[in-house]
PDB file of all heavy atoms in Angstrom:
ATOM      1  N   SER A   1       2.162 -23.611   5.872  1.00 98.00           N
ATOM      2  CA  SER A   1       1.212 -22.569   5.518  1.00 98.00           C
ATOM      3  C   SER A   1       1.866 -21.215   5.713  1.00 98.00           C
ATOM      4  O   SER A   1       2.811 -21.077   6.477  1.00 98.00           O
ATOM      5  CB  SER A   1      -0.041 -22.685   6.401  1.00 98.00           C
ATOM      6  OG  SER A   1      -0.996 -21.687   6.076  1.00 98.00           O
ATOM      7  N   CYS A   2       1.344 -20.200   5.035  1.00 97.00           N
ATOM      8  CA  CYS A   2       1.810 -18.843   5.274  1.00 97.00           C
ATOM      9  C   CYS A   2       0.681 -17.860   5.027  1.00 97.00           C
ATOM     10  O   CYS A   2      -0.310 -18.177   4.369  1.00 97.00           O
ATOM     11  CB  CYS A   2       3.045 -18.490   4.439  1.00 97.00           C
ATOM     12  SG  CYS A   2       2.795 -18.499   2.657  1.00 97.00           S
ATOM     13  N   ILE A   3       0.859 -16.651   5.568  1.00 97.00           N
ATOM     14  CA  ILE A   3      -0.151 -15.616   5.462  1.00 97.00           C
ATOM     15  C   ILE A   3       0.541 -14.299   5.152  1.00 97.00           C
ATOM     16  O   ILE A   3       1.580 -13.980   5.726  1.00 97.00           O
ATOM     17  CB  ILE A   3      -0.997 -15.542   6.756  1.00 97.00           C
ATOM     18  CG1 ILE A   3      -2.150 -14.551   6.603  1.00 97.00           C
ATOM     19  CG2 ILE A   3      -0.130 -15.203   7.963  1.00 97.00           C
ATOM     20  CD1 ILE A   3      -3.186 -14.677   7.713  1.00 97.00           C
ATOM     21  N   SER A   4      -0.027 -13.534   4.248  1.00 95.00           N
ATOM     22  CA  SER A   4       0.600 -12.300   3.805  1.00 95.00           C
ATOM     23  C   SER A   4       0.402 -11.179   4.816  1.00 95.00           C
ATOM     24  O   SER A   4      -0.393 -11.282   5.756  1.00 95.00           O
ATOM     25  CB  SER A   4       0.060 -11.886   2.438  1.00 95.00           C
ATOM     26  OG  SER A   4      -1.282 -11.449   2.523  1.00 95.00           O
ATOM     27  N   SER A   5       1.105 -10.074   4.595  1.00 91.00           N
ATOM     28  CA  SER A   5       1.113  -8.974   5.552  1.00 91.00           C
ATOM     29  C   SER A   5       0.049  -7.920   5.290  1.00 91.00           C
ATOM     30  O   SER A   5      -0.324  -7.190   6.204  1.00 91.00           O
ATOM     31  CB  SER A   5       2.483  -8.299   5.560  1.00 91.00           C
ATOM     32  OG  SER A   5       2.797  -7.784   4.279  1.00 91.00           O
ATOM     33  N   THR A   6      -0.432  -7.789   4.071  1.00 85.00           N
ATOM     34  CA  THR A   6      -1.357  -6.720   3.722  1.00 85.00           C
ATOM     35  C   THR A   6      -2.797  -7.203   3.602  1.00 85.00           C
ATOM     36  O   THR A   6      -3.680  -6.742   4.324  1.00 85.00           O
ATOM     37  CB  THR A   6      -0.928  -6.048   2.410  1.00 85.00           C
ATOM     38  OG1 THR A   6      -0.796  -7.028   1.381  1.00 85.00           O
ATOM     39  CG2 THR A   6       0.405  -5.336   2.593  1.00 85.00           C
ATOM     40  N   THR A   7      -3.037  -8.121   2.707  1.00 85.00           N
ATOM     41  CA  THR A   7      -4.384  -8.628   2.479  1.00 85.00           C
ATOM     42  C   THR A   7      -4.705  -9.875   3.287  1.00 85.00           C
ATOM     43  O   THR A   7      -5.836 -10.364   3.244  1.00 85.00           O
ATOM     44  CB  THR A   7      -4.597  -8.952   0.998  1.00 85.00           C
ATOM     45  OG1 THR A   7      -3.711  -9.993   0.603  1.00 85.00           O
ATOM     46  CG2 THR A   7      -4.337  -7.719   0.138  1.00 85.00           C
ATOM     47  N   SER A   8      -3.724 -10.401   3.998  1.00 86.00           N
ATOM     48  CA  SER A   8      -3.868 -11.649   4.744  1.00 86.00           C
ATOM     49  C   SER A   8      -4.254 -12.813   3.840  1.00 86.00           C
ATOM     50  O   SER A   8      -4.997 -13.713   4.249  1.00 86.00           O
ATOM     51  CB  SER A   8      -4.873 -11.486   5.881  1.00 86.00           C
ATOM     52  OG  SER A   8      -4.379 -10.609   6.872  1.00 86.00           O
ATOM     53  N   SER A   9      -3.755 -12.795   2.621  1.00 94.00           N
ATOM     54  CA  SER A   9      -3.929 -13.937   1.739  1.00 94.00           C
ATOM     55  C   SER A   9      -3.210 -15.143   2.329  1.00 94.00           C
ATOM     56  O   SER A   9      -2.143 -15.007   2.931  1.00 94.00           O
ATOM     57  CB  SER A   9      -3.366 -13.633   0.351  1.00 94.00           C
ATOM     58  OG  SER A   9      -4.073 -12.568  -0.256  1.00 94.00           O
ATOM     59  N   THR A  10      -3.782 -16.312   2.143  1.00 97.00           N
ATOM     60  CA  THR A  10      -3.251 -17.517   2.768  1.00 97.00           C
ATOM     61  C   THR A  10      -2.840 -18.542   1.727  1.00 97.00           C
ATOM     62  O   THR A  10      -3.408 -18.613   0.632  1.00 97.00           O
ATOM     63  CB  THR A  10      -4.273 -18.139   3.721  1.00 97.00           C
ATOM     64  OG1 THR A  10      -5.477 -18.448   2.994  1.00 97.00           O
ATOM     65  CG2 THR A  10      -4.614 -17.177   4.848  1.00 97.00           C
ATOM     66  N   TYR A  11      -1.866 -19.363   2.107  1.00 97.00           N
ATOM     67  CA  TYR A  11      -1.343 -20.407   1.242  1.00 97.00           C
ATOM     68  C   TYR A  11      -1.101 -21.644   2.085  1.00 97.00           C
ATOM     69  O   TYR A  11      -0.690 -21.546   3.236  1.00 97.00           O
ATOM     70  CB  TYR A  11      -0.050 -19.943   0.567  1.00 97.00           C
ATOM     71  CG  TYR A  11      -0.200 -18.641  -0.162  1.00 97.00           C
ATOM     72  CD1 TYR A  11      -0.006 -17.440   0.505  1.00 97.00           C
ATOM     73  CD2 TYR A  11      -0.566 -18.605  -1.503  1.00 97.00           C
ATOM     74  CE1 TYR A  11      -0.169 -16.229  -0.150  1.00 97.00           C
ATOM     75  CE2 TYR A  11      -0.726 -17.405  -2.165  1.00 97.00           C
ATOM     76  CZ  TYR A  11      -0.529 -16.218  -1.486  1.00 97.00           C
ATOM     77  OH  TYR A  11      -0.689 -15.026  -2.148  1.00 97.00           O
ATOM     78  N   TYR A  12      -1.333 -22.816   1.476  1.00 98.00           N
ATOM     79  CA  TYR A  12      -1.216 -24.068   2.204  1.00 98.00           C
ATOM     80  C   TYR A  12      -0.486 -25.110   1.380  1.00 98.00           C
ATOM     81  O   TYR A  12      -0.659 -25.194   0.160  1.00 98.00           O
ATOM     82  CB  TYR A  12      -2.595 -24.615   2.569  1.00 98.00           C
ATOM     83  CG  TYR A  12      -3.396 -23.698   3.454  1.00 98.00           C
ATOM     84  CD1 TYR A  12      -4.287 -22.784   2.912  1.00 98.00           C
ATOM     85  CD2 TYR A  12      -3.257 -23.755   4.837  1.00 98.00           C
ATOM     86  CE1 TYR A  12      -5.019 -21.936   3.725  1.00 98.00           C
ATOM     87  CE2 TYR A  12      -3.987 -22.914   5.656  1.00 98.00           C
ATOM     88  CZ  TYR A  12      -4.865 -22.003   5.096  1.00 98.00           C
ATOM     89  OH  TYR A  12      -5.593 -21.167   5.907  1.00 98.00           O
ATOM     90  N   ALA A  13       0.316 -25.915   2.060  1.00 97.00           N
ATOM     91  CA  ALA A  13       0.914 -27.072   1.423  1.00 97.00           C
ATOM     92  C   ALA A  13      -0.173 -28.089   1.097  1.00 97.00           C
ATOM     93  O   ALA A  13      -1.211 -28.154   1.766  1.00 97.00           O
ATOM     94  CB  ALA A  13       1.957 -27.698   2.341  1.00 97.00           C
ATOM     95  N   ASP A  14       0.071 -28.887   0.070  1.00 97.00           N
ATOM     96  CA  ASP A  14      -0.923 -29.882  -0.330  1.00 97.00           C
ATOM     97  C   ASP A  14      -1.271 -30.835   0.804  1.00 97.00           C
ATOM     98  O   ASP A  14      -2.407 -31.315   0.898  1.00 97.00           O
ATOM     99  CB  ASP A  14      -0.420 -30.681  -1.530  1.00 97.00           C
ATOM    100  CG  ASP A  14      -0.384 -29.864  -2.809  1.00 97.00           C
ATOM    101  OD1 ASP A  14      -1.059 -28.817  -2.869  1.00 97.00           O
ATOM    102  OD2 ASP A  14       0.313 -30.283  -3.753  1.00 97.00           O
ATOM    103  N   SER A  15      -0.312 -31.103   1.663  1.00 95.00           N
ATOM    104  CA  SER A  15      -0.519 -32.060   2.740  1.00 95.00           C
ATOM    105  C   SER A  15      -1.521 -31.587   3.786  1.00 95.00           C
ATOM    106  O   SER A  15      -2.068 -32.407   4.525  1.00 95.00           O
ATOM    107  CB  SER A  15       0.818 -32.385   3.417  1.00 95.00           C
ATOM    108  OG  SER A  15       1.411 -31.217   3.947  1.00 95.00           O
ATOM    109  N   VAL A  16      -1.760 -30.272   3.857  1.00 96.00           N
ATOM    110  CA  VAL A  16      -2.668 -29.741   4.870  1.00 96.00           C
ATOM    111  C   VAL A  16      -3.809 -28.929   4.289  1.00 96.00           C
ATOM    112  O   VAL A  16      -4.722 -28.531   5.033  1.00 96.00           O
ATOM    113  CB  VAL A  16      -1.916 -28.882   5.908  1.00 96.00           C
ATOM    114  CG1 VAL A  16      -0.767 -29.662   6.520  1.00 96.00           C
ATOM    115  CG2 VAL A  16      -1.405 -27.587   5.285  1.00 96.00           C
ATOM    116  N   LYS A  17      -3.789 -28.673   2.999  1.00 96.00           N
ATOM    117  CA  LYS A  17      -4.826 -27.867   2.372  1.00 96.00           C
ATOM    118  C   LYS A  17      -6.193 -28.514   2.577  1.00 96.00           C
ATOM    119  O   LYS A  17      -6.367 -29.709   2.358  1.00 96.00           O
ATOM    120  CB  LYS A  17      -4.532 -27.695   0.887  1.00 96.00           C
ATOM    121  CG  LYS A  17      -5.416 -26.661   0.196  1.00 96.00           C
ATOM    122  CD  LYS A  17      -4.954 -26.422  -1.228  1.00 96.00           C
ATOM    123  CE  LYS A  17      -5.741 -25.310  -1.890  1.00 96.00           C
ATOM    124  NZ  LYS A  17      -5.257 -25.041  -3.270  1.00 96.00           N
ATOM    125  N   GLY A  18      -7.141 -27.704   3.000  1.00 96.00           N
ATOM    126  CA  GLY A  18      -8.473 -28.201   3.295  1.00 96.00           C
ATOM    127  C   GLY A  18      -8.636 -28.711   4.707  1.00 96.00           C
ATOM    128  O   GLY A  18      -9.760 -29.068   5.099  1.00 96.00           O
ATOM    129  N   ARG A  19      -7.555 -28.754   5.461  1.00 97.00           N
ATOM    130  CA  ARG A  19      -7.615 -29.222   6.842  1.00 97.00           C
ATOM    131  C   ARG A  19      -7.219 -28.135   7.839  1.00 97.00           C
ATOM    132  O   ARG A  19      -7.947 -27.889   8.799  1.00 97.00           O
ATOM    133  CB  ARG A  19      -6.706 -30.436   7.045  1.00 97.00           C
ATOM    134  CG  ARG A  19      -7.078 -31.641   6.193  1.00 97.00           C
ATOM    135  CD  ARG A  19      -6.384 -32.898   6.704  1.00 97.00           C
ATOM    136  NE  ARG A  19      -4.931 -32.794   6.627  1.00 97.00           N
ATOM    137  CZ  ARG A  19      -4.108 -33.023   7.654  1.00 97.00           C
ATOM    138  NH1 ARG A  19      -4.603 -33.355   8.841  1.00 97.00           N
ATOM    139  NH2 ARG A  19      -2.795 -32.931   7.489  1.00 97.00           N
ATOM    140  N   PHE A  20      -6.072 -27.504   7.634  1.00 98.00           N
ATOM    141  CA  PHE A  20      -5.573 -26.489   8.558  1.00 98.00           C
ATOM    142  C   PHE A  20      -5.987 -25.100   8.103  1.00 98.00           C
ATOM    143  O   PHE A  20      -6.227 -24.856   6.914  1.00 98.00           O
ATOM    144  CB  PHE A  20      -4.046 -26.546   8.658  1.00 98.00           C
ATOM    145  CG  PHE A  20      -3.504 -27.800   9.274  1.00 98.00           C
ATOM    146  CD1 PHE A  20      -4.331 -28.813   9.720  1.00 98.00           C
ATOM    147  CD2 PHE A  20      -2.130 -27.962   9.409  1.00 98.00           C
ATOM    148  CE1 PHE A  20      -3.821 -29.968  10.287  1.00 98.00           C
ATOM    149  CE2 PHE A  20      -1.606 -29.108   9.973  1.00 98.00           C
ATOM    150  CZ  PHE A  20      -2.452 -30.112  10.412  1.00 98.00           C
ATOM    151  N   THR A  21      -6.024 -24.164   9.055  1.00 98.00           N
ATOM    152  CA  THR A  21      -6.372 -22.784   8.762  1.00 98.00           C
ATOM    153  C   THR A  21      -5.407 -21.848   9.467  1.00 98.00           C
ATOM    154  O   THR A  21      -5.244 -21.926  10.687  1.00 98.00           O
ATOM    155  CB  THR A  21      -7.808 -22.450   9.201  1.00 98.00           C
ATOM    156  OG1 THR A  21      -8.734 -23.325   8.545  1.00 98.00           O
ATOM    157  CG2 THR A  21      -8.153 -21.012   8.835  1.00 98.00           C
ATOM    158  N   ILE A  22      -4.773 -20.959   8.705  1.00 98.00           N
ATOM    159  CA  ILE A  22      -3.891 -19.950   9.274  1.00 98.00           C
ATOM    160  C   ILE A  22      -4.647 -18.626   9.349  1.00 98.00           C
ATOM    161  O   ILE A  22      -5.462 -18.313   8.479  1.00 98.00           O
ATOM    162  CB  ILE A  22      -2.599 -19.812   8.439  1.00 98.00           C
ATOM    163  CG1 ILE A  22      -1.567 -18.948   9.154  1.00 98.00           C
ATOM    164  CG2 ILE A  22      -2.890 -19.263   7.049  1.00 98.00           C
ATOM    165  CD1 ILE A  22      -0.190 -18.949   8.479  1.00 98.00           C
ATOM    166  N   SER A  23      -4.385 -17.852  10.388  1.00 97.00           N
ATOM    167  CA  SER A  23      -5.071 -16.580  10.564  1.00 97.00           C
ATOM    168  C   SER A  23      -4.218 -15.635  11.390  1.00 97.00           C
ATOM    169  O   SER A  23      -3.253 -16.045  12.037  1.00 97.00           O
ATOM    170  CB  SER A  23      -6.440 -16.782  11.225  1.00 97.00           C
ATOM    171  OG  SER A  23      -6.299 -17.317  12.529  1.00 97.00           O
ATOM    172  N   ARG A  24      -4.592 -14.361  11.347  1.00 96.00           N
ATOM    173  CA  ARG A  24      -3.921 -13.327  12.139  1.00 96.00           C
ATOM    174  C   ARG A  24      -4.891 -12.675  13.105  1.00 96.00           C
ATOM    175  O   ARG A  24      -6.074 -12.498  12.803  1.00 96.00           O
ATOM    176  CB  ARG A  24      -3.369 -12.216  11.234  1.00 96.00           C
ATOM    177  CG  ARG A  24      -2.169 -12.540  10.391  1.00 96.00           C
ATOM    178  CD  ARG A  24      -1.778 -11.295   9.596  1.00 96.00           C
ATOM    179  NE  ARG A  24      -0.598 -11.499   8.760  1.00 96.00           N
ATOM    180  CZ  ARG A  24       0.646 -11.256   9.151  1.00 96.00           C
ATOM    181  NH1 ARG A  24       0.885 -10.800  10.373  1.00 96.00           N
ATOM    182  NH2 ARG A  24       1.654 -11.463   8.313  1.00 96.00           N
ATOM    183  N   ASP A  25      -4.371 -12.279  14.260  1.00 95.00           N
ATOM    184  CA  ASP A  25      -5.068 -11.377  15.167  1.00 95.00           C
ATOM    185  C   ASP A  25      -4.082 -10.249  15.446  1.00 95.00           C
ATOM    186  O   ASP A  25      -3.236 -10.353  16.326  1.00 95.00           O
ATOM    187  CB  ASP A  25      -5.496 -12.065  16.448  1.00 95.00           C
ATOM    188  CG  ASP A  25      -6.373 -11.181  17.311  1.00 95.00           C
ATOM    189  OD1 ASP A  25      -6.292  -9.946  17.196  1.00 95.00           O
ATOM    190  OD2 ASP A  25      -7.154 -11.725  18.112  1.00 95.00           O
ATOM    191  N   ASN A  26      -4.195  -9.189  14.669  1.00 94.00           N
ATOM    192  CA  ASN A  26      -3.219  -8.109  14.766  1.00 94.00           C
ATOM    193  C   ASN A  26      -3.271  -7.402  16.119  1.00 94.00           C
ATOM    194  O   ASN A  26      -2.254  -6.898  16.599  1.00 94.00           O
ATOM    195  CB  ASN A  26      -3.430  -7.104  13.637  1.00 94.00           C
ATOM    196  CG  ASN A  26      -3.096  -7.687  12.277  1.00 94.00           C
ATOM    197  OD1 ASN A  26      -2.248  -8.568  12.157  1.00 94.00           O
ATOM    198  ND2 ASN A  26      -3.764  -7.200  11.239  1.00 94.00           N
ATOM    199  N   ALA A  27      -4.440  -7.356  16.732  1.00 95.00           N
ATOM    200  CA  ALA A  27      -4.553  -6.735  18.047  1.00 95.00           C
ATOM    201  C   ALA A  27      -3.732  -7.480  19.084  1.00 95.00           C
ATOM    202  O   ALA A  27      -3.255  -6.884  20.053  1.00 95.00           O
ATOM    203  CB  ALA A  27      -6.012  -6.665  18.477  1.00 95.00           C
ATOM    204  N   LYS A  28      -3.579  -8.780  18.899  1.00 96.00           N
ATOM    205  CA  LYS A  28      -2.790  -9.595  19.815  1.00 96.00           C
ATOM    206  C   LYS A  28      -1.382  -9.855  19.303  1.00 96.00           C
ATOM    207  O   LYS A  28      -0.604 -10.556  19.955  1.00 96.00           O
ATOM    208  CB  LYS A  28      -3.493 -10.922  20.073  1.00 96.00           C
ATOM    209  CG  LYS A  28      -4.822 -10.783  20.789  1.00 96.00           C
ATOM    210  CD  LYS A  28      -5.443 -12.139  21.072  1.00 96.00           C
ATOM    211  CE  LYS A  28      -6.740 -11.989  21.831  1.00 96.00           C
ATOM    212  NZ  LYS A  28      -7.372 -13.304  22.119  1.00 96.00           N
ATOM    213  N   ASN A  29      -1.066  -9.312  18.115  1.00 95.00           N
ATOM    214  CA  ASN A  29       0.267  -9.466  17.542  1.00 95.00           C
ATOM    215  C   ASN A  29       0.635 -10.946  17.406  1.00 95.00           C
ATOM    216  O   ASN A  29       1.766 -11.359  17.694  1.00 95.00           O
ATOM    217  CB  ASN A  29       1.310  -8.739  18.400  1.00 95.00           C
ATOM    218  CG  ASN A  29       2.485  -8.228  17.595  1.00 95.00           C
ATOM    219  OD1 ASN A  29       2.385  -7.991  16.394  1.00 95.00           O
ATOM    220  ND2 ASN A  29       3.621  -8.054  18.264  1.00 95.00           N
ATOM    221  N   THR A  30      -0.331 -11.728  16.939  1.00 97.00           N
ATOM    222  CA  THR A  30      -0.202 -13.178  16.932  1.00 97.00           C
ATOM    223  C   THR A  30      -0.758 -13.770  15.638  1.00 97.00           C
ATOM    224  O   THR A  30      -1.750 -13.280  15.091  1.00 97.00           O
ATOM    225  CB  THR A  30      -0.942 -13.789  18.132  1.00 97.00           C
ATOM    226  OG1 THR A  30      -0.370 -13.285  19.346  1.00 97.00           O
ATOM    227  CG2 THR A  30      -0.835 -15.306  18.139  1.00 97.00           C
ATOM    228  N   VAL A  31      -0.111 -14.827  15.165  1.00 97.00           N
ATOM    229  CA  VAL A  31      -0.605 -15.633  14.059  1.00 97.00           C
ATOM    230  C   VAL A  31      -0.935 -17.020  14.594  1.00 97.00           C
ATOM    231  O   VAL A  31      -0.192 -17.576  15.409  1.00 97.00           O
ATOM    232  CB  VAL A  31       0.428 -15.716  12.921  1.00 97.00           C
ATOM    233  CG1 VAL A  31       0.014 -16.745  11.876  1.00 97.00           C
ATOM    234  CG2 VAL A  31       0.584 -14.352  12.260  1.00 97.00           C
ATOM    235  N   TYR A  32      -2.040 -17.579  14.122  1.00 98.00           N
ATOM    236  CA  TYR A  32      -2.504 -18.870  14.600  1.00 98.00           C
ATOM    237  C   TYR A  32      -2.486 -19.908  13.487  1.00 98.00           C
ATOM    238  O   TYR A  32      -2.533 -19.592  12.298  1.00 98.00           O
ATOM    239  CB  TYR A  32      -3.934 -18.761  15.132  1.00 98.00           C
ATOM    240  CG  TYR A  32      -4.104 -17.789  16.258  1.00 98.00           C
ATOM    241  CD1 TYR A  32      -4.607 -16.511  16.026  1.00 98.00           C
ATOM    242  CD2 TYR A  32      -3.765 -18.135  17.560  1.00 98.00           C
ATOM    243  CE1 TYR A  32      -4.767 -15.609  17.063  1.00 98.00           C
ATOM    244  CE2 TYR A  32      -3.921 -17.240  18.596  1.00 98.00           C
ATOM    245  CZ  TYR A  32      -4.425 -15.977  18.341  1.00 98.00           C
ATOM    246  OH  TYR A  32      -4.581 -15.088  19.379  1.00 98.00           O
ATOM    247  N   LEU A  33      -2.436 -21.163  13.896  1.00 98.00           N
ATOM    248  CA  LEU A  33      -2.644 -22.277  12.990  1.00 98.00           C
ATOM    249  C   LEU A  33      -3.653 -23.210  13.639  1.00 98.00           C
ATOM    250  O   LEU A  33      -3.341 -23.882  14.623  1.00 98.00           O
ATOM    251  CB  LEU A  33      -1.339 -23.023  12.694  1.00 98.00           C
ATOM    252  CG  LEU A  33      -1.444 -24.144  11.659  1.00 98.00           C
ATOM    253  CD1 LEU A  33      -1.757 -23.568  10.276  1.00 98.00           C
ATOM    254  CD2 LEU A  33      -0.157 -24.961  11.607  1.00 98.00           C
ATOM    255  N   GLN A  34      -4.870 -23.223  13.104  1.00 98.00           N
ATOM    256  CA  GLN A  34      -5.914 -24.099  13.601  1.00 98.00           C
ATOM    257  C   GLN A  34      -5.788 -25.455  12.933  1.00 98.00           C
ATOM    258  O   GLN A  34      -5.760 -25.539  11.701  1.00 98.00           O
ATOM    259  CB  GLN A  34      -7.294 -23.503  13.320  1.00 98.00           C
ATOM    260  CG  GLN A  34      -8.451 -24.304  13.891  1.00 98.00           C
ATOM    261  CD  GLN A  34      -8.492 -24.258  15.400  1.00 98.00           C
ATOM    262  OE1 GLN A  34      -8.331 -23.195  15.994  1.00 98.00           O
ATOM    263  NE2 GLN A  34      -8.708 -25.407  16.030  1.00 98.00           N
ATOM    264  N   MET A  35      -5.721 -26.504  13.740  1.00 98.00           N
ATOM    265  CA  MET A  35      -5.472 -27.847  13.231  1.00 98.00           C
ATOM    266  C   MET A  35      -6.536 -28.805  13.760  1.00 98.00           C
ATOM    267  O   MET A  35      -6.368 -29.406  14.830  1.00 98.00           O
ATOM    268  CB  MET A  35      -4.077 -28.327  13.625  1.00 98.00           C
ATOM    269  CG  MET A  35      -2.956 -27.374  13.213  1.00 98.00           C
ATOM    270  SD  MET A  35      -1.317 -28.091  13.469  1.00 98.00           S
ATOM    271  CE  MET A  35      -1.355 -28.309  15.254  1.00 98.00           C
ATOM    272  N   PRO A  36      -7.639 -28.947  13.026  1.00 97.00           N
ATOM    273  CA  PRO A  36      -8.661 -29.909  13.444  1.00 97.00           C
ATOM    274  C   PRO A  36      -8.370 -31.303  12.907  1.00 97.00           C
ATOM    275  O   PRO A  36      -7.554 -31.474  11.995  1.00 97.00           O
ATOM    276  CB  PRO A  36      -9.925 -29.333  12.790  1.00 97.00           C
ATOM    277  CG  PRO A  36      -9.414 -28.735  11.516  1.00 97.00           C
ATOM    278  CD  PRO A  36      -8.042 -28.180  11.852  1.00 97.00           C
ATOM    279  N   ASN A  37      -9.031 -32.282  13.478  1.00 96.00           N
ATOM    280  CA  ASN A  37      -8.955 -33.656  12.987  1.00 96.00           C
ATOM    281  C   ASN A  37      -7.522 -34.104  12.732  1.00 96.00           C
ATOM    282  O   ASN A  37      -7.185 -34.592  11.645  1.00 96.00           O
ATOM    283  CB  ASN A  37      -9.798 -33.792  11.718  1.00 96.00           C
ATOM    284  CG  ASN A  37     -10.016 -35.236  11.312  1.00 96.00           C
ATOM    285  OD1 ASN A  37     -10.017 -36.136  12.152  1.00 96.00           O
ATOM    286  ND2 ASN A  37     -10.201 -35.470  10.024  1.00 96.00           N
ATOM    287  N   LEU A  38      -6.695 -33.964  13.726  1.00 98.00           N
ATOM    288  CA  LEU A  38      -5.281 -34.312  13.579  1.00 98.00           C
ATOM    289  C   LEU A  38      -5.086 -35.807  13.394  1.00 98.00           C
ATOM    290  O   LEU A  38      -5.820 -36.627  13.957  1.00 98.00           O
ATOM    291  CB  LEU A  38      -4.503 -33.829  14.793  1.00 98.00           C
ATOM    292  CG  LEU A  38      -4.263 -32.318  14.830  1.00 98.00           C
ATOM    293  CD1 LEU A  38      -3.884 -31.880  16.234  1.00 98.00           C
ATOM    294  CD2 LEU A  38      -3.175 -31.936  13.837  1.00 98.00           C
ATOM    295  N   GLN A  39      -4.071 -36.148  12.618  1.00 97.00           N
ATOM    296  CA  GLN A  39      -3.722 -37.527  12.325  1.00 97.00           C
ATOM    297  C   GLN A  39      -2.269 -37.779  12.694  1.00 97.00           C
ATOM    298  O   GLN A  39      -1.473 -36.842  12.805  1.00 97.00           O
ATOM    299  CB  GLN A  39      -3.952 -37.823  10.845  1.00 97.00           C
ATOM    300  CG  GLN A  39      -5.383 -37.591  10.381  1.00 97.00           C
ATOM    301  CD  GLN A  39      -6.379 -38.459  11.120  1.00 97.00           C
ATOM    302  OE1 GLN A  39      -6.159 -39.666  11.284  1.00 97.00           O
ATOM    303  NE2 GLN A  39      -7.473 -37.863  11.577  1.00 97.00           N
ATOM    304  N   PRO A  40      -1.887 -39.049  12.887  1.00 97.00           N
ATOM    305  CA  PRO A  40      -0.496 -39.351  13.252  1.00 97.00           C
ATOM    306  C   PRO A  40       0.529 -38.748  12.298  1.00 97.00           C
ATOM    307  O   PRO A  40       1.629 -38.389  12.727  1.00 97.00           O
ATOM    308  CB  PRO A  40      -0.461 -40.878  13.231  1.00 97.00           C
ATOM    309  CG  PRO A  40      -1.849 -41.272  13.622  1.00 97.00           C
ATOM    310  CD  PRO A  40      -2.738 -40.259  12.953  1.00 97.00           C
ATOM    311  N   LYS A  41       0.206 -38.623  11.024  1.00 96.00           N
ATOM    312  CA  LYS A  41       1.132 -38.049  10.058  1.00 96.00           C
ATOM    313  C   LYS A  41       1.449 -36.583  10.336  1.00 96.00           C
ATOM    314  O   LYS A  41       2.414 -36.043   9.789  1.00 96.00           O
ATOM    315  CB  LYS A  41       0.590 -38.183   8.635  1.00 96.00           C
ATOM    316  CG  LYS A  41      -0.678 -37.381   8.376  1.00 96.00           C
ATOM    317  CD  LYS A  41      -1.194 -37.589   6.968  1.00 96.00           C
ATOM    318  CE  LYS A  41      -2.473 -36.799   6.722  1.00 96.00           C
ATOM    319  NZ  LYS A  41      -3.000 -37.019   5.351  1.00 96.00           N
ATOM    320  N   ASP A  42       0.641 -35.940  11.167  1.00 97.00           N
ATOM    321  CA  ASP A  42       0.867 -34.543  11.520  1.00 97.00           C
ATOM    322  C   ASP A  42       1.851 -34.380  12.672  1.00 97.00           C
ATOM    323  O   ASP A  42       2.191 -33.251  13.030  1.00 97.00           O
ATOM    324  CB  ASP A  42      -0.455 -33.867  11.887  1.00 97.00           C
ATOM    325  CG  ASP A  42      -1.439 -33.851  10.736  1.00 97.00           C
ATOM    326  OD1 ASP A  42      -1.034 -33.521   9.605  1.00 97.00           O
ATOM    327  OD2 ASP A  42      -2.630 -34.164  10.977  1.00 97.00           O
ATOM    328  N   THR A  43       2.292 -35.471  13.253  1.00 98.00           N
ATOM    329  CA  THR A  43       3.237 -35.410  14.360  1.00 98.00           C
ATOM    330  C   THR A  43       4.543 -34.770  13.907  1.00 98.00           C
ATOM    331  O   THR A  43       5.168 -35.219  12.946  1.00 98.00           O
ATOM    332  CB  THR A  43       3.512 -36.808  14.920  1.00 98.00           C
ATOM    333  OG1 THR A  43       2.312 -37.327  15.509  1.00 98.00           O
ATOM    334  CG2 THR A  43       4.597 -36.766  15.986  1.00 98.00           C
ATOM    335  N   ALA A  44       4.950 -33.714  14.596  1.00 98.00           N
ATOM    336  CA  ALA A  44       6.156 -32.975  14.234  1.00 98.00           C
ATOM    337  C   ALA A  44       6.375 -31.861  15.238  1.00 98.00           C
ATOM    338  O   ALA A  44       5.497 -31.545  16.042  1.00 98.00           O
ATOM    339  CB  ALA A  44       6.025 -32.375  12.826  1.00 98.00           C
ATOM    340  N   VAL A  45       7.555 -31.261  15.165  1.00 98.00           N
ATOM    341  CA  VAL A  45       7.790 -29.994  15.836  1.00 98.00           C
ATOM    342  C   VAL A  45       7.380 -28.895  14.867  1.00 98.00           C
ATOM    343  O   VAL A  45       7.832 -28.865  13.721  1.00 98.00           O
ATOM    344  CB  VAL A  45       9.255 -29.821  16.256  1.00 98.00           C
ATOM    345  CG1 VAL A  45       9.463 -28.466  16.915  1.00 98.00           C
ATOM    346  CG2 VAL A  45       9.666 -30.940  17.204  1.00 98.00           C
TER     347      VAL A  45
END
């Protein structure tokens, strides 16, 4: 997944689209990846 710098537009790979959510918290200088309902296929670094 990725998120843009200006409008915070988001993009997702087909394998995670509809499941994961990317977001920014600029006050915390941090980008997040919310991953609900994880499955064994998501195992990775």
